[in-house]
């Protein structure tokens, strides 16, 4: 069921992607805001209670629906529920709009439009970035977005679905990522009720733990479909060059897999996710701390797209083989 649920969700998402103004996106924001207002009183214990309610309750609801449909109606209904949940939590089209616009602008030689699109996408100061730095940051943002919107969801969904928990893993991963971003110190979304320091720290710590395994699976996937030895060397020796451990593993493996220089002085980000995941400029990190590799070029953007899609194919083939083995067994 897992393989077909992922396959159908990806196909539907490619054919009819969710609009950025779709009402479904307002649900998690309203839920996180309500939980923060009612359960965040600024202490460590209550911070974990608030995080558990915000993340685990939707996950349990997703499992409850899966269980009820499976046992009261049958597996076709449960499959449709899995596809629906994955459609809202998994997919390239949730972030590829800006990437495609920036890539097209760079290919047309319009660096100014590329800077504007980058600033709009990540809410950063990009007015003085040279062309190579635009490409580098787009690669970094794209790879991390692909991990969080595709491979991380795939990893948690596949693991918990194998245990009979249906789409619980997909909801758990996406909600953990969302509340960590929503409640981060620099979130612009929570204007009516800013999260306490305890809740910010709890959500960031929980996200780091939840993302630990998926980040390494993503890095391994990039190594398998890219330049394996260089990707593994980058993972081992250059991941520490990035401020965030999980993101650093992915970016270092990407740099080796397609032979591109990543890292160095990061953008001075204004958005919340860049702040709590370590994307903000760090005076201790300079261009000398970049990974080895070629200077970023527009051609690398297509290499990244190929890397990501080949990784998806590998994941789907693996899931297909496991499904086939289970059917035979």
């Amino acid at each position: 069921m897992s393989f077909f649920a992922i396959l159908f969700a990806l196909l539907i998402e490619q054919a009819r992607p969710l609009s950025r103004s779709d009402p479904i996106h307002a649900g998690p924001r309203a839920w996180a805001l309500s939980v923060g207002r009612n359960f965040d009183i600024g202490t460590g214990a209550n911070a974990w209670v608030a995080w558990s309610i915000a993340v685990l309750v939707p996950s349990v609801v997703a499992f409850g629906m899966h269980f009820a449909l499976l046992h009261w109606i049958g597996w076709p209904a449960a499959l449709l529920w899995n596809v629906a949940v994955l459609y809202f939590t998994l997919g390239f089209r949730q972030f590829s709009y800006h990437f495609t616009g920036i890539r097209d602008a760079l290919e047309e030689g319009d660096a100014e439009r590329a800077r504007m699109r980058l600033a709009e996408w990540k809410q950063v100061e990009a007015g003085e970035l040279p062309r190579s730095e635009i490409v580098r940051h787009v690669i970094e943002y794209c790879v991390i977005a692909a991990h969080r919107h595709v491979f991380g969801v795939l990893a948690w969904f596949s693991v918990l679905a194998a245990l009979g928990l249906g789409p619980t893993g997909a909801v758990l991963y996406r909600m953990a990522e969302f509340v960590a971003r929503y409640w981060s110190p620099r979130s612009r979304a929570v204007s009516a009720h800013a999260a306490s320091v305890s809740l910010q720290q709890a959500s960031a710590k929980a996200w780091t733990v939840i993302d630990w395994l998926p980040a390494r699976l993503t890095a391994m996937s990039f190594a398998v479909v890219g330049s394996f030895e260089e990707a593994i060397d980058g993972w081992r020796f250059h991941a520490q060059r990035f401020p965030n451990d999980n993101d650093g593993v992915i970016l270092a493996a990407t740099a080796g897999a397609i032979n591109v220089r990543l890292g160095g002085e990061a953008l001075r980000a204004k958005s919340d996710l860049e702040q709590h995941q370590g994307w903000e400029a760090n005076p201790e990190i300079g261009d000398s701390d970049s990974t080895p590799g070629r200077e970023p070029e527009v051609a690398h953007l297509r290499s990244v797209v190929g890397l990501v899609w080949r990784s998806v194919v590998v994941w789907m083939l693996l899931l297909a083989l496991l499904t086939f083995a289970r059917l035979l067994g």
Side-chain angles (χ1 to χ4, degrees), residues 10 92 150-151 307-317:
L10 286 173
F92 291 98
V150 180
F151 299 111
L307 187 77
V308 170
W309 275 109
R310 291 195 302 272
S311 298
V312 171
V313 171
V314 168
W315 278 68
M316 295 304 293
L317 285 176

Side-chain angles (χ1 to χ4, degrees), residues 10-52:
L10 286 173
L11 292 175
I12 295 171
E13 199 261 348
Q14 288 295 308
R16 295 188 61 86
L18 279 174
S19 170
R20 295 179 62 85
S21 59
D22 194 283
I24 194 66
H25 292 301
R29 289 193 294 270
W31 173 248
L33 180 60
S34 176
V35 171
R37 282 175 170 171
N38 290 287
F39 296 96
D40 179 21
I41 61 174
T43 63
N46 282 93
W48 285 108
V49 170
W51 182 90
S52 299

Side-chain angles (χ1 to χ4, degrees), residues 99 102-103 106-107 130-140 258-262 293-305:
F99 170 81
I102 296 171
R103 185 191 63 190
L106 289 172
E107 289 180 344
R131 183 184 178 91
S132 64
E133 287 298 284
I134 297 173
V135 174
R136 177 169 70 85
H137 287 298
V138 171
I139 291 173
E140 292 177 355
I258 61 175
N259 188 27
V260 63
R261 179 182 64 83
L262 298 178
R294 294 168 52 197
E295 189 76 7
E297 302 172 353
V298 177
H300 282 119
L301 297 179
R302 295 195 178 276
S303 298
V304 168
V305 173

Side-chain angles (χ1 to χ4, degrees), residues 217-265:
L217 292 175
T218 299
M220 181 59 68
S221 301
F222 289 168
V224 169
V225 301
S227 180
F228 184 83
E229 185 175 352
E230 286 75 10
I232 296 300
D233 284 343
W235 178 348
R236 292 177 59 194
F237 301 115
H238 304 297
Q240 69 276 9
R241 297 177 185 269
F242 299 89
N244 178 271
D245 180 59
N246 292 337
D247 291 352
V249 167
I250 298 169
L251 293 173
T254 301
I258 61 175
N259 188 27
V260 63
R261 179 182 64 83
L262 298 178
E265 185 178 357

Side-chain angles (χ1 to χ4, degrees), residues 42-277:
T43 63
N46 282 93
W48 285 108
V49 170
W51 182 90
S52 299
I53 293 173
V55 175
L56 298 183
V57 168
S59 304
V60 171
V61 170
F63 168 68
M65 283 292 296
H66 170 79
F67 182 85
L69 292 172
L70 183 63
H71 290 274
W72 293 346
I73 301 179
W75 68 264
L79 175 62
L80 291 176
W81 172 245
N82 280 253
V83 172
V85 172
L86 287 171
Y87 175 67
F88 292 116
T89 58
L90 171 75
F92 291 98
R93 302 295 286 274
Q94 298 183 32
F95 68 90
S96 64
Y97 171 76
H98 291 293
F99 170 81
T100 302
I102 296 171
R103 185 191 63 190
D104 292 345
L106 289 172
E107 289 180 344
E108 296 169 4
D110 192 347
E112 184 59 32
R113 180 157 61 95
R115 293 187 189 97
M116 292 176 60
R117 295 295 296 266
L118 178 61
E120 178 186 357
W121 181 17
K122 303 306 295 185
Q123 298 299 310
V124 294
E125 297 291 345
E128 302 299 326
L129 282 179
R131 183 184 178 91
S132 64
E133 287 298 284
I134 297 173
V135 174
R136 177 169 70 85
H137 287 298
V138 171
I139 291 173
E140 292 177 355
Y141 289 135
C142 175
V143 168
I144 296 302
H147 164 67
R148 292 175 181 161
H149 287 277
V150 180
F151 299 111
V153 178
L154 281 177
W156 271 98
F157 172 77
S158 300
V159 170
L160 295 192
L163 299 176
L165 299 181
T168 307
V171 177
L172 174 70
Y173 184 84
R174 293 300 298 143
M175 286 303 300
E177 186 273 336
F178 175 78
V179 299
R181 174 162 43 91
Y182 188 82
W183 286 332
S184 69
R186 301 190 64 166
S187 174
R188 298 174 304 149
V190 190
S191 57
H193 180 81
S196 67
V197 174
S198 297
L199 185 55
Q200 294 168 10
Q201 293 175 345
S203 59
K205 289 178 181 177
W207 167 242
T208 299
V209 172
I210 288 173
D211 196 39
W212 188 92
L213 179 60
R216 283 142 184 85
L217 292 175
T218 299
M220 181 59 68
S221 301
F222 289 168
V224 169
V225 301
S227 180
F228 184 83
E229 185 175 352
E230 286 75 10
I232 296 300
D233 284 343
W235 178 348
R236 292 177 59 194
F237 301 115
H238 304 297
Q240 69 276 9
R241 297 177 185 269
F242 299 89
N244 178 271
D245 180 59
N246 292 337
D247 291 352
V249 167
I250 298 169
L251 293 173
T254 301
I258 61 175
N259 188 27
V260 63
R261 179 182 64 83
L262 298 178
E265 185 178 357
L267 284 174
R268 188 174 297 278
K270 291 182 178 179
S271 68
D272 54 303
L273 184 57
E274 281 75 15
Q275 163 64 21
H276 106 260
Q277 291 298 336

